[in-house]
Amino acid sequence: MVDALGVAVVGFGWMGRVHTQAYARVRHHYPQLALRPELVVVAEEVPGRAEEAATQFGFTATTRDWREVATDPRVQAVSITAPNFLHREIGVAMAEAGKHIWIEKPVGLTREDAVAVADAVARAGVQGAVGFNYRNAPAVETARALIAAGELGAVTHVRIRLLSDYAAHPDGALTWRYERERGGSGVLGDLASHGVDLARFLLGDITSLAADTAVFVPERARPTGATAGHSLAAGGELGPVENEDYVNCLLRFASGARGVLEACRVSVGAQNDYGFEVHGTEGAVFWDFRRMNELGVSRGTTYQDQPVSTVYVGPGDGEFGAFQPGAANAMGYDDLKVVEAHRFLRSVAEGAPHGATLADAVRSATVLEAMSRSAESRSWVDVHP
């Protein structure tokens, strides 16, 4: 007997659509899942957008006020994909209403916001999942397993990059993403949060760091209407960009390993250039999101001139087998969100967490806060638990 689970999506921009599609697909890939998600209500304040979502995806109801979701008895689980400044208020309200939550990173504007949502989830005894999707790539999980098994020897250093051009156009609209009050940090929360999660997922906790940040496009035009994604707004009134376009950071791990993390949202010529390079005393592993299903692996005892092999992940790696029957058949970005949906729903069904949790969000926010303090003080800072 498969139980129905009423779900809602709050915020129906691109990420709300991705969550909805993941709910629609999850039982196709995981037929043994004990829950069947049913799309009950979509909440979106932009006129007409919720109605379009309902028509396309089959939500039973629509609303422009997310508070109606919290009081809806048909809803047991909620995806929170609204702008960052709403994460804390919505997350706490949904948890207090007894709803399980799947919330996008960075879970608010500050570490305090992430802690507030995590505490509300813990008090309510509900499940809380966070959208750190890159850790779900089978190649990333395989890399983690290689590192944990000592296949690279002792890890010495890592380089993590998240370079993108989504904000590179000087006519990009001055949306909430560029405001401190509504967007919080800039590329720190948007991209570096993923980098921190990957660093912790692969190598464990970060103990200290030194960071530098910069704003390369200091002014943008204010939009005259509703925006979606990264819209252009040429000719509008100019306003200041209040948060960072770029960060680079030196990392020290509890293991003794060293690292470099770099993230930028205005990198002309870089379209989702995300990846990592992990080096150890006996080998290395390399991953590029743009070739998501491949790993570069070097291992052995040659040391100097040791070759690197391309390894294609297959059904025995991570969740690959739920999507493809054989190695080198490609998975894509949306598949990672289906994996995430499965782990969230499995958490709800079993009453125990699977995948990235709010504790991971708090740890990521703690590191991001340390980066901000370091950039401001121009000094090394410790990362406190």
Side-chain angles (χ1 to χ4, degrees):
M1 180 69 178
V2 177
D3 293 328
L5 184 79
V7 300
V9 176
V10 176
F12 205 82
W14 169 66
M15 188 53 68
R17 179 178 295 270
V18 172
H19 276 231
T20 302
Q21 291 170 166
Y23 286 127
R25 293 177 54 198
V26 66
R27 285 189 53 81
H28 298 169
H29 297 279
Y30 298 95
Q32 303 306 315
L33 183 63
L35 293 174
R36 181 182 71 254
E38 294 187 349
L39 300 175
V40 174
V41 59
V42 55
E44 170 57 62
E45 65 176 13
V46 175
R49 191 178 284 177
E51 289 72 20
E52 291 175 6
T55 298
Q56 182 174 3
F57 295 103
F59 287 96
T60 304
T62 66
T63 180
R64 293 182 63 181
D65 185 354
W66 61 262
R67 294 168 185 82
E68 293 182 4
V69 174
T71 59
D72 192 328
R74 299 171 298 170
V75 175
Q76 289 90 48
V78 182
S79 277
I80 301 171
T81 54
N84 296 351
F85 65 95
L86 295 172
H87 284 189
R88 177 175 179 167
E89 184 180 7
I90 297 174
V92 170
M94 295 303 170
E96 290 179 343
K99 319 291 189 188
H100 306 284
I101 64 172
W102 175 13
I103 186 169
E104 277 303 314
K105 36 61 63 183
V107 189
L109 306 182
T110 63
R111 180 185 184 276
E112 182 181 347
D113 286 350
V115 169
V117 178
D119 287 349
V121 164
R123 287 194 304 270
V126 296
Q127 296 298 314
V130 178
F132 288 129
N133 44 267
Y134 298 109
R135 63 156 63 188
N136 298 329
V140 174
E141 295 193 315
T142 299
R144 187 189 194 211
L146 290 173
I147 294 166
E151 293 288 333
L152 311 184
V155 172
T156 53
H157 59 283
V158 60
R159 185 165 74 95
I160 298 173
R161 69 185 187 282
L162 295 106
L163 308 177
S164 186
D165 65 353
Y166 68 78
H169 202 297
D171 291 336
L174 187 69
T175 64
W176 60 268
R177 293 180 182 277
Y178 304 100
E179 300 174 5
R180 284 286 179 190
E181 184 176 350
R182 297 194 298 165
S185 62
V187 78
L188 283 179
D190 197 22
L191 294 181
S193 59
H194 280 299
V196 170
D197 184 67
L198 283 173
R200 293 187 59 249
F201 186 69
L202 294 169
L203 302 182
D205 282 335
I206 297 163
T207 57
S208 60
L209 57 81
D212 183 35
T213 62
V215 177
F216 295 135
V217 183
E219 290 186 319
R220 295 182 181 273
R222 301 184 189 280
T224 56
T227 60
H230 304 286
S231 305
L232 302 184
E237 178 188 357
L238 293 178
V241 171
E242 298 174 351
N243 49 32
E244 71 287 335
D245 290 326
Y246 173 82
V247 61
N248 63 46
C249 187
L250 299 176
L251 307 170
R252 291 176 179 165
F253 292 84
S255 66
R258 299 298 196 263
V260 177
L261 188 156
E262 184 179 30
C264 185
R265 65 188 181 188
V266 297
S267 296
V268 174
Q271 295 88 40
N272 294 345
D273 182 3
Y274 308 155
F276 57 74
E277 306 159 13
V278 181
H279 295 265
T281 54
E282 297 176 7
V285 63
F286 310 88
W287 181 70
D288 187 328
F289 169 68
R290 298 165 300 178
R291 304 180 71 166
M292 191 177 83
N293 305 288
E294 302 177 19
L295 279 179
V297 180
S298 177
R299 50 188 166 179
T301 56
T302 304
Y303 302 107
Q304 187 176 0
D305 299 328
Q306 184 163 288
V308 177
S309 299
T310 297
V311 176
Y312 298 99
V313 294
D317 300 305
E319 301 288 335
F320 189 93
F323 297 86
Q324 298 294 349
N329 289 291
M331 287 177 62
Y333 175 89
D334 284 11
D335 295 330
L336 302 184
K337 284 298 187 184
V338 176
V339 174
E340 205 169 289
H342 170 248
R343 290 176 175 172
F344 171 50
L345 295 171
R346 184 181 171 194
S347 299
V348 173
E350 299 178 7
H354 295 276
T357 67
L358 283 159
D360 294 305
V362 171
R363 289 300 295 157
S364 176
T366 301
V367 175
L368 297 180
E369 186 178 85
M371 287 183 185
S372 294
R373 287 189 285 113
S374 174
E376 184 176 351
S377 65
R378 300 190 178 187
S379 62
W380 280 89
V381 300
D382 291 333
V383 179
H384 301 292

mmCIF file of all heavy atoms in Angstrom, residues 120-137:
data_model
loop_
_atom_site.group_PDB
_atom_site.id
_atom_site.type_symbol
_atom_site.label_atom_id
_atom_site.label_comp_id
_atom_site.label_asym_id
_atom_site.label_seq_id
_atom_site.Cartn_x
_atom_site.Cartn_y
_atom_site.Cartn_z
ATOM 1 N N ALA A 120 13.321 25.088 14.477
ATOM 2 C CA ALA A 120 11.871 24.891 14.338
ATOM 3 C C ALA A 120 11.556 23.479 13.855
ATOM 4 O O ALA A 120 10.606 22.841 14.323
ATOM 5 C CB ALA A 120 11.298 25.927 13.373
ATOM 6 N N VAL A 121 12.352 22.979 12.928
ATOM 7 C CA VAL A 121 12.174 21.619 12.426
ATOM 8 C C VAL A 121 12.398 20.602 13.545
ATOM 9 O O VAL A 121 11.635 19.641 13.706
ATOM 10 C CB VAL A 121 13.125 21.361 11.237
ATOM 11 C CG1 VAL A 121 13.253 19.873 10.933
ATOM 12 C CG2 VAL A 121 12.639 22.114 10.005
ATOM 13 N N ALA A 122 13.442 20.827 14.329
ATOM 14 C CA ALA A 122 13.742 19.899 15.427
ATOM 15 C C ALA A 122 12.630 19.900 16.473
ATOM 16 O O ALA A 122 12.219 18.837 16.962
ATOM 17 C CB ALA A 122 15.081 20.272 16.063
ATOM 18 N N ARG A 123 12.135 21.087 16.823
ATOM 19 C CA ARG A 123 11.069 21.173 17.827
ATOM 20 C C ARG A 123 9.793 20.485 17.346
ATOM 21 O O ARG A 123 9.094 19.829 18.119
ATOM 22 C CB ARG A 123 10.764 22.639 18.157
ATOM 23 C CG ARG A 123 11.807 23.345 18.994
ATOM 24 C CD ARG A 123 11.256 24.652 19.549
ATOM 25 N NE ARG A 123 10.757 25.524 18.500
ATOM 26 C CZ ARG A 123 11.492 26.437 17.864
ATOM 27 N NH1 ARG A 123 12.786 26.573 18.177
ATOM 28 N NH2 ARG A 123 10.965 27.203 16.934
ATOM 29 N N ALA A 124 9.505 20.636 16.058
ATOM 30 C CA ALA A 124 8.260 20.094 15.523
ATOM 31 C C ALA A 124 8.345 18.595 15.243
ATOM 32 O O ALA A 124 7.305 17.939 15.067
ATOM 33 C CB ALA A 124 7.887 20.833 14.238
ATOM 34 N N GLY A 125 9.563 18.068 15.192
ATOM 35 C CA GLY A 125 9.726 16.646 14.906
ATOM 36 C C GLY A 125 9.410 16.281 13.468
ATOM 37 O O GLY A 125 9.054 15.137 13.170
ATOM 38 N N VAL A 126 9.572 17.262 12.554
ATOM 39 C CA VAL A 126 9.351 16.998 11.135
ATOM 40 C C VAL A 126 10.694 16.833 10.445
ATOM 41 O O VAL A 126 11.758 17.049 11.035
ATOM 42 C CB VAL A 126 8.540 18.139 10.478
ATOM 43 C CG1 VAL A 126 7.149 18.218 11.089
ATOM 44 C CG2 VAL A 126 9.254 19.495 10.623
ATOM 45 N N GLN A 127 10.667 16.444 9.182
ATOM 46 C CA GLN A 127 11.892 16.281 8.409
ATOM 47 C C GLN A 127 12.198 17.563 7.638
ATOM 48 O O GLN A 127 11.284 18.257 7.183
ATOM 49 C CB GLN A 127 11.761 15.103 7.447
ATOM 50 C CG GLN A 127 11.593 13.764 8.137
ATOM 51 C CD GLN A 127 12.797 13.410 8.995
ATOM 52 O OE1 GLN A 127 13.946 13.537 8.562
ATOM 53 N NE2 GLN A 127 12.536 12.970 10.223
ATOM 54 N N GLY A 128 13.492 17.856 7.489
ATOM 55 C CA GLY A 128 13.919 19.038 6.753
ATOM 56 C C GLY A 128 15.055 18.707 5.816
ATOM 57 O O GLY A 128 16.107 18.246 6.258
ATOM 58 N N ALA A 129 14.844 18.902 4.524
ATOM 59 C CA ALA A 129 15.873 18.668 3.507
ATOM 60 C C ALA A 129 16.296 19.993 2.892
ATOM 61 O O ALA A 129 15.514 20.953 2.856
ATOM 62 C CB ALA A 129 15.348 17.737 2.421
ATOM 63 N N VAL A 130 17.536 20.054 2.407
ATOM 64 C CA VAL A 130 18.093 21.294 1.850
ATOM 65 C C VAL A 130 18.645 21.018 0.448
ATOM 66 O O VAL A 130 19.198 19.948 0.192
ATOM 67 C CB VAL A 130 19.198 21.852 2.765
ATOM 68 C CG1 VAL A 130 19.817 23.104 2.164
ATOM 69 C CG2 VAL A 130 18.631 22.169 4.140
ATOM 70 N N GLY A 131 18.507 22.017 -0.420
ATOM 71 C CA GLY A 131 18.833 21.841 -1.827
ATOM 72 C C GLY A 131 20.291 21.888 -2.218
ATOM 73 O O GLY A 131 20.651 22.591 -3.165
ATOM 74 N N PHE A 132 21.139 21.121 -1.553
ATOM 75 C CA PHE A 132 22.532 20.987 -1.980
ATOM 76 C C PHE A 132 22.613 19.854 -3.001
ATOM 77 O O PHE A 132 23.015 18.740 -2.690
ATOM 78 C CB PHE A 132 23.435 20.710 -0.779
ATOM 79 C CG PHE A 132 23.635 21.902 0.129
ATOM 80 C CD1 PHE A 132 23.420 21.783 1.490
ATOM 81 C CD2 PHE A 132 24.034 23.119 -0.381
ATOM 82 C CE1 PHE A 132 23.609 22.865 2.333
ATOM 83 C CE2 PHE A 132 24.213 24.222 0.453
ATOM 84 C CZ PHE A 132 24.006 24.096 1.811
ATOM 85 N N ASN A 133 22.223 20.145 -4.240
ATOM 86 C CA ASN A 133 22.017 19.094 -5.222
ATOM 87 C C ASN A 133 23.299 18.515 -5.812
ATOM 88 O O ASN A 133 23.327 17.352 -6.235
ATOM 89 C CB ASN A 133 21.129 19.589 -6.355
ATOM 90 C CG ASN A 133 21.483 20.976 -6.839
ATOM 91 O OD1 ASN A 133 20.907 21.944 -6.346
ATOM 92 N ND2 ASN A 133 22.425 21.102 -7.761
ATOM 93 N N TYR A 134 24.389 19.263 -5.846
ATOM 94 C CA TYR A 134 25.583 18.756 -6.532
ATOM 95 C C TYR A 134 26.187 17.552 -5.819
ATOM 96 O O TYR A 134 26.797 16.687 -6.468
ATOM 97 C CB TYR A 134 26.607 19.875 -6.720
ATOM 98 C CG TYR A 134 26.070 20.983 -7.578
ATOM 99 C CD1 TYR A 134 25.747 22.226 -7.033
ATOM 100 C CD2 TYR A 134 25.812 20.777 -8.931
ATOM 101 C CE1 TYR A 134 25.204 23.228 -7.816
ATOM 102 C CE2 TYR A 134 25.267 21.775 -9.720
ATOM 103 C CZ TYR A 134 24.965 22.998 -9.160
ATOM 104 O OH TYR A 134 24.418 23.979 -9.948
ATOM 105 N N ARG A 135 25.999 17.448 -4.529
ATOM 106 C CA ARG A 135 26.496 16.277 -3.798
ATOM 107 C C ARG A 135 25.779 15.005 -4.252
ATOM 108 O O ARG A 135 26.255 13.903 -4.006
ATOM 109 C CB ARG A 135 26.334 16.453 -2.284
ATOM 110 C CG ARG A 135 24.901 16.584 -1.837
ATOM 111 C CD ARG A 135 24.686 16.195 -0.389
ATOM 112 N NE ARG A 135 25.388 17.034 0.580
ATOM 113 C CZ ARG A 135 25.438 16.751 1.873
ATOM 114 N NH1 ARG A 135 24.811 15.667 2.331
ATOM 115 N NH2 ARG A 135 26.073 17.526 2.717
ATOM 116 N N ASN A 136 24.602 15.151 -4.919
ATOM 117 C CA ASN A 136 23.835 13.990 -5.343
ATOM 118 C C ASN A 136 24.324 13.374 -6.647
ATOM 119 O O ASN A 136 23.847 12.293 -7.026
ATOM 120 C CB ASN A 136 22.361 14.367 -5.511
ATOM 121 C CG ASN A 136 21.726 14.837 -4.219
ATOM 122 O OD1 ASN A 136 22.101 14.400 -3.137
ATOM 123 N ND2 ASN A 136 20.757 15.734 -4.322
ATOM 124 N N ALA A 137 25.230 14.039 -7.347
ATOM 125 C CA ALA A 137 25.747 13.474 -8.593
ATOM 126 C C ALA A 137 26.465 12.160 -8.302
ATOM 127 O O ALA A 137 27.307 12.103 -7.398
ATOM 128 C CB ALA A 137 26.703 14.457 -9.268
#
